[in-house]
Amino acid sequence: PYTTLFRSMTVIITSPETLRARHGPGALQYYRVAHKGWSSEMAKAAMHEQDPSWERNLSGLFSVITIDEAHSLKNADSAVNTTISWLKPGFIVLATATVLPNGIKDCEGFIKLIQPKTDLWAPENLAKLGVSPDVNPYELSDGHPATILQLSLEGARQWITSEAADKDKSGFYLQKIWKQCLLRRTYASKNPQNHLMAIGESLPKLFTRCIVSHFSPAEKKEYDTFAANPLRKLAHFLPNGQMCWNRRYARELTLLSTSISYHWTNIYLTADATKEFREKEHCLWTILKLLHDRKADAMGDPGFALPEKHETAKLLALICQGSPKLRQLLQILSSLVILSHRKVTIWCSLPANQVLIGACLQCLQIEAAIYTADRTSIERQNLVHSFTRDPEGCRVWVGSYSVGSVGLNLQAMCNHSINFDSPLNTGQAKQAIGRIRRLKQPLTVEQFELSVEDTFQSRVIQNALRKAVPGTIADLTMEVHESDAENLTKAFSIGRWFRVGDQLIEAPDYRVNHLLPSQQLSAPELVAAIMDISRGRREESQLDQHWVEEEVEEDIDVEMIDAL
């Protein structure tokens, strides 16, 4: 019987992007214009409407569809998600390590693909279920027939992901969806390669240090001046009322948090120019020459004399001015790479920072893998081989959260990782550290998270935590079982919790008995505090400690670089 079954089965291996290109809305739009006489405007307006008569229509032809790295389908309105939904398989499996990579809204893409094909919210269906059109299905007891409405995109958008949804309850509502469709492995699950151990016991330990740097008073004054305009233009609202960051100004602020010099050079250090700068024989000198010329053009005086190409200490001293993170990074690299001969991964959010770090490493004659989008597949394979197989090969991996932070195995000779930029969400953070914190990593993994206090980077960190709260609540309540039909929103209402520094204390306790009731943590605040504390131990940068305590202006000079 099994032989007969497999002889009649056809298996197609492809990618969602290939399906989108050949069988998705864009291909259908072109077909309607080129072969059916539609106008471009008509075809564009109907591009998300399926055409059963189209020769490339694959609807209903597949019994089972499995999507790996399914977080690529998180946007329910994207062309690739629409393409997969058009397939209408009998069963769909979505596999991902980061279910909500960016925030709770990511669940929409999954729900759209797994919801029943019938219109659950049609008046006649609601009448059969015995509920009104304004019913909140997530407040119904588990045995109610109308709980099927929970597994619908319309229900999720109204009660979980919309701007008007109750943010204190959205995580608990999402848990009710996960309970119906999500199978997962946790750290407590059995290791599939060794059933005598849990996954958490099999993974290497992780030690994280959050190193907080500070601008000098003079640098901070300059930062505030340059950041004022992009901060004013940062936020804008979509037609549905959702607030978003303008990508251009978010990039500008991210770079300013890294180095004040980007105010003059950021429009030149773009993704398109990455290869050109990366291949320069004296990349750091080229960047400083650009800074020198741009400041001279704008102000009449660049403010510094450009060193010779071979004057390494002077070049590094100049680029470190206005960049607390870069000063801190060089100190860490001097300890780990130069003195201890370790390999290190560094993760950035923007290509400009990859180029900047690569330029400093080139100046120090440290061989590095600058893993950027312009690399060919062969070049990428060679970089991975050099970093993971050659003890004398690449010492530092400079990667991007957007390029190469998914799927690569970099743990063979490396157990140190540095988040130079703060990841925009928990999905990016997990994927990046997952490149070296993997099974068969024999050493404890040490992670450094670099940040600059009171800059846009602080907002990025808090925004990532805020977006992760509902999904974390859903995860934490997955194992909660209540004997009665009470709503799960009560699961975190038990106890009175307070945060004191990096400690969570439950009242009654003499350490918090004097605190006001208003300081008690709500359920989302408690989860946010847990995630924030779990990021690792906070440490003040020793390089600029005197600026915090004494507020003395002091330039970075060649002697400091020599000390590093």
Side-chain angles (χ1 to χ4, degrees):
Y2 292 107
T3 303
T4 304
L5 172 65
F6 284 107
R7 282 178 178 171
S8 63
M9 179 182 295
T10 299
V11 177
I12 297 177
I13 301 176
T14 185
S15 70
E17 283 298 328
T18 300
L19 285 170
R20 176 200 59 75
R22 298 176 180 175
H23 306 276
L28 178 57
Q29 181 181 354
Y30 172 79
Y31 165 76
R32 283 169 168 163
V33 174
H35 300 285
K36 300 196 72 173
W38 290 36
S39 68
S40 297
E41 292 75 17
M42 290 175 57
K44 184 176 181 180
M47 68 181 299
H48 289 282
E49 297 176 12
Q50 195 168 6
D51 183 356
S53 65
W54 183 31
E55 62 181 5
R56 293 192 180 185
N57 177 57
L58 303 179
S59 178
L61 298 182
F62 299 100
S63 301
V64 179
I65 290 178
T66 301
I67 307 290
D68 194 17
E69 305 292 356
H71 46 268
S72 63
L73 307 176
K74 63 182 183 296
N75 184 353
D77 300 320
S78 67
V80 66
N81 188 292
T82 298
T83 302
I84 301 302
S85 69
W86 282 357
L87 299 178
K88 294 183 172 56
F91 195 79
I92 187 167
V93 179
L94 305 174
T96 175
T98 47
V99 184
L100 301 178
N102 190 44
I104 196 168
K105 193 175 179 64
D106 295 340
C107 71
E108 291 184 3
F110 307 130
I111 295 169
K112 176 184 174 182
L113 298 175
I114 63 177
Q115 66 182 345
K117 301 302 182 284
T118 56
D119 185 0
L120 296 177
W121 290 86
E124 57 272 18
N125 189 56
L126 294 176
K128 290 180 182 178
L129 296 174
V131 293
S132 62
D134 61 350
V135 64
N136 180 351
Y138 305 101
E139 293 287 356
L140 299 174
S141 60
D142 287 346
H144 198 289
T147 53
I148 191 176
L149 298 171
Q150 296 172 358
L151 206 64
S152 67
L153 184 57
E154 184 175 345
R157 281 180 165 168
Q158 180 174 357
W159 301 102
I160 298 177
T161 64
S162 74
E163 290 299 304
D166 188 338
K167 300 300 186 292
D168 288 347
K169 294 184 177 182
S170 55
F172 298 99
Y173 291 165
L174 179 61
Q175 183 273 341
K176 295 193 172 187
I177 295 176
W178 285 166
K179 188 166 61 174
Q180 300 181 60
C181 65
L182 180 64
L183 300 175
R184 65 173 188 168
R185 281 186 177 143
T186 68
Y187 287 130
S189 302
K190 295 297 182 183
N191 180 350
Q193 299 177 4
N194 182 358
H195 288 185
L196 298 178
M197 298 179 67
I199 291 177
E201 297 173 312
S202 306
L203 287 172
K205 293 181 179 179
L206 174 63
F207 179 62
T208 302
R209 300 166 63 184
C210 300
I211 301 180
V212 182
S213 301
H214 304 264
F215 283 125
S216 72
E219 290 171 343
K220 185 60 168 63
K221 183 178 180 180
E222 211 172 359
Y223 168 84
D224 289 340
T225 300
F226 294 153
N229 184 59
L231 279 172
R232 280 195 298 268
K233 299 180 179 180
L234 176 65
H236 70 281
F237 291 89
L238 299 178
N240 63 1
Q242 181 183 355
M243 192 275 286
C244 291
W245 286 347
N246 181 290
R247 184 172 296 180
R248 170 189 169 186
Y249 297 113
R251 174 186 181 271
E252 187 175 340
L253 289 164
T254 298
L255 292 177
L256 279 175
S257 299
T258 298
S259 175
I260 296 172
S261 66
Y262 275 125
H263 174 73
W264 311 100
T265 62
N266 80 83
I267 62 173
Y268 303 96
L269 290 165
T270 61
D272 292 339
T274 298
K275 183 177 181 180
E276 177 187 352
F277 276 96
R278 181 172 50 76
E279 293 180 345
K280 295 286 185 183
E281 185 178 356
H282 300 282
C283 185
L284 184 56
W285 182 89
T286 303
I287 292 173
L288 286 170
K289 176 70 163 56
L290 177 65
L291 174 63
H292 180 277
D293 295 348
R294 295 290 75 77
K295 290 188 72 174
D297 291 343
M299 304 176 67
D301 179 10
F304 66 93
L306 186 65
E308 296 295 328
K309 294 178 180 179
H310 65 275
E311 295 182 297
T312 300
K314 290 183 179 179
L315 293 171
L316 290 170
L318 279 172
I319 201 64
C320 280
Q321 290 188 28
S323 182
K325 275 204 298 183
L326 196 54
R327 298 193 288 260
Q328 187 64 62
L329 177 69
L330 291 178
Q331 184 189 48
I332 295 173
L333 293 180
S334 68
S335 174
L336 291 178
V337 179
I338 298 176
L339 298 179
S340 302
H341 306 289
R342 311 295 300 188
K343 293 197 176 191
V344 175
T345 61
I346 302 174
W347 298 99
C348 304
S349 61
L350 295 170
N353 278 344
Q354 289 181 270
V355 169
L356 178 64
I357 295 171
C360 293
L361 294 171
Q362 180 197 60
C363 195
L364 289 167
Q365 299 182 23
I366 297 175
E367 188 174 352
I370 315 300
Y371 201 83
T372 50
D374 63 90
R375 298 277 193 182
T376 66
S377 59
I378 297 299
E379 288 177 326
R380 295 186 187 190
Q381 291 174 19
N382 290 338
L383 290 178
V384 172
H385 184 274
S386 178
F387 187 75
T388 60
R389 300 293 178 222
D390 184 357
E392 303 303 321
C394 294
R395 310 301 304 168
V396 180
W397 178 278
V398 186
S400 164
Y401 296 121
S402 302
V403 182
S405 63
V406 176
L408 292 176
N409 295 310
L410 304 177
Q411 77 275 18
M413 297 183 177
C414 175
N415 67 309
H416 291 90
S417 182
I418 302 171
N419 287 348
F420 186 73
D421 293 327
S422 297
L424 294 174
N425 50 66
T426 57
Q428 288 184 343
K430 291 176 181 177
Q431 290 287 0
I433 194 61
R435 298 313 98 224
I436 63 172
R437 192 188 182 216
R438 306 178 70 80
L439 294 176
K440 298 184 180 180
Q441 166 64 269
L443 303 174
T444 295
V445 173
E446 185 173 21
Q447 176 178 255
F448 298 86
E449 180 183 297
L450 307 186
S451 64
V452 183
E453 190 84 324
D454 198 20
T455 65
F456 179 69
Q457 189 177 9
S458 306
R459 185 180 296 191
V460 170
I461 294 170
Q462 292 305 313
N463 191 58
L465 286 173
R466 177 185 58 80
K467 290 190 294 184
V469 167
T472 304
I473 290 178
D475 285 345
L476 292 174
T477 55
M478 279 290 288
E479 307 302 331
V480 174
H481 300 285
E482 299 189 36
S483 57
D484 54 20
E486 288 185 317
N487 192 282
L488 276 174
T489 55
K490 297 182 180 179
F492 273 106
S493 299
I494 301 172
R496 294 167 48 234
W497 289 91
F498 296 84
R499 180 174 181 174
V500 179
D502 279 345
Q503 279 190 298
L504 290 174
I505 302 173
E506 186 177 13
D509 188 294
Y510 74 93
R511 294 170 292 177
V512 296
N513 288 340
H514 64 285
L515 298 179
L516 298 174
S518 60
Q519 294 176 269
Q520 178 181 330
L521 299 176
S522 64
E525 289 171 340
L526 175 59
V527 174
I530 293 171
M531 290 191 296
D532 190 31
I533 293 171
S534 69
R535 284 173 50 223
R537 188 176 72 195
R538 177 187 169 110
E539 298 179 9
E540 295 290 338
S541 170
Q542 297 302 309
L543 289 177
D544 49 24
Q545 189 69 23
H546 55 283
W547 288 327
V548 179
E549 296 174 354
E550 303 173 16
E551 295 197 352
V552 175
E553 294 188 23
E554 185 171 321
D555 289 334
I556 299 299
D557 56 15
V558 175
E559 283 71 25
M560 193 228 41
I561 295 296
D562 288 338
L564 293 182

